[in-house]
Amino acid sequence: MESSSLISFSLLFCFSILFFGSNGVEARRAPPSISYLISENLFNSIFLHKDDNACPARNFYNYTSFIQAAKCFPSFGNTGDIATRKREIAAFLAQISHETTGGWATAPDGPYAWGLCFKEEINPQSNYCDSTNTQWPCYPGKSYHGRGPIQLSWNYNYGPAGKAVGFDGLRNPEIVANNSLIAFKTGLWFWMTEQSPKPSCHDVMVGKYVPTEADLAANRTAGYGLVTNIINGGLECGIPNDARVNDRIGFFERYAQLFKVDTGPNLDCANQKPF
């Protein structure tokens, strides 16, 4: 599993840490890029309507920011064989599409062509402050509602996400909806980070997930459905034919087809207990 300490180490690549070559000359080591797996044309064909006038996030989620953010997490899209790498990227993009969708059943090009339409939760019902969490205390007057591609929520996520990718998540949560590079970094931080007892989404999609006895008893089997469980299982999993889960699957099936890979097994979490 990619622990938070390993993730912090990988993030050093993002902050232009210098390395010295054998000749004593400073050299910069660039992390691998996933651009050879997802071109800008493919990215735009996935997100056909993200920049439509109807989308509040138009012109926010750009390809360059996504590729740059991915370089901060060198294992993302770079683990396993080519099919595994493509499948992970497709799964990540599918999950963030559900979180930010502007689609509807009869939408032009179908409901699964409208990912990345929103960058901020509309009419949040609270400020998402868990006052019992003393490690990441809320800052007065700040709201930790959903922002960015993964709709990062709650102070206990904003705090560590900011620490990991380089912003003050507690005092300046608004930046996640104002800076596209930071927005994508928070989404990838959530995807790559294990938050016990939950494994990381990354480990699940690349075959590194090792279920515990509790996982086995809860039928938490590896696959895209387990990723949904990690992200929002408390509300969506253990429910037969849940519309939200089906929406996540619809995005994934479309994107997997565009990447020319299969989806793998266990797409839903209807028979899984939440974490």
Side-chain angles (χ1 to χ4, degrees):
M1 294 186 179
E2 181 149 4
S3 68
S4 58
S5 60
L6 286 175
I7 290 171
S8 297
F9 177 78
S10 71
L11 286 173
L12 294 177
F13 289 106
C14 301
F15 302 130
S16 300
I17 299 299
L18 296 178
F19 294 85
F20 286 86
S22 58
N23 60 356
V25 178
E26 286 185 352
R28 295 178 185 271
R29 178 184 296 176
S33 172
I34 60 170
S35 58
Y36 77 102
L37 295 174
I38 176 168
S39 66
E40 187 167 7
N41 285 339
L42 177 55
F43 184 83
N44 290 334
S45 68
I46 287 171
F47 300 109
L48 286 173
H49 295 282
K50 69 180 179 63
D51 296 326
D52 280 21
N53 287 333
C55 288
R58 60 186 176 275
N59 301 320
F60 181 70
Y61 295 112
N62 61 76
Y63 174 76
T64 299
S65 291
F66 171 61
I67 295 299
Q68 288 180 346
K71 289 180 179 179
C72 299
F73 301 87
S75 296
F76 175 73
N78 279 301
T79 303
D81 60 21
I82 294 297
T84 299
R85 297 177 184 197
K86 289 182 175 181
R87 190 178 299 111
E88 182 187 12
I89 298 170
F92 172 76
L93 296 179
Q95 290 288 356
I96 66 173
S97 292
H98 170 80
E99 296 293 334
T100 59
T101 184
W104 63 99
T106 59
D109 299 306
Y112 307 122
W114 288 78
L116 298 184
C117 193
F118 290 86
K119 61 178 181 176
E120 192 163 9
E121 184 178 351
I122 303 300
N123 299 320
Q125 299 302 302
S126 76
N127 64 358
Y128 291 85
C129 170
D130 179 0
S131 59
T132 66
N133 189 294
T134 56
Q135 183 179 5
W136 306 105
C138 303
Y139 194 75
K142 295 298 181 178
S143 175
Y144 304 100
H145 59 265
R147 296 182 181 91
I150 203 70
Q151 288 292 281
L152 191 72
S153 304
W154 296 100
N155 51 306
Y156 52 74
N157 282 319
Y158 273 91
K163 183 178 180 180
V165 306
F167 70 98
D168 191 334
L170 298 177
R171 291 172 179 259
N172 189 20
E174 299 88 356
I175 197 171
V176 179
N178 295 326
N179 183 301
S180 63
L181 179 57
I182 287 177
F184 274 121
K185 284 181 181 180
T186 63
L188 286 164
W189 168 84
F190 186 92
W191 183 266
M192 300 297 295
T193 304
E194 174 187 353
Q195 298 188 50
S196 184
K198 297 179 180 181
S200 71
C201 300
H202 168 74
D203 280 355
V204 171
M205 290 307 302
V206 303
K208 291 187 176 182
Y209 164 62
V210 179
T212 65
E213 289 187 9
D215 291 325
L216 294 172
N219 199 37
R220 292 193 284 259
T221 51
Y224 185 74
L226 182 55
V227 171
T228 297
N229 199 339
I230 292 168
I231 294 172
N232 205 29
L235 295 177
E236 299 181 21
C237 295
I239 305 170
N241 201 33
D242 184 84
R244 297 160 296 185
V245 173
N246 291 339
D247 189 67
R248 295 178 190 272
I249 293 171
F251 279 111
F252 186 39
E253 289 177 333
R254 176 175 176 259
Y255 297 176
Q257 186 175 20
L258 289 171
F259 274 98
K260 300 179 181 179
V261 293
D262 63 84
T263 60
N266 304 318
L267 293 180
D268 67 57
C269 57
N271 297 314
Q272 297 181 20
K273 291 183 180 179
F275 285 93

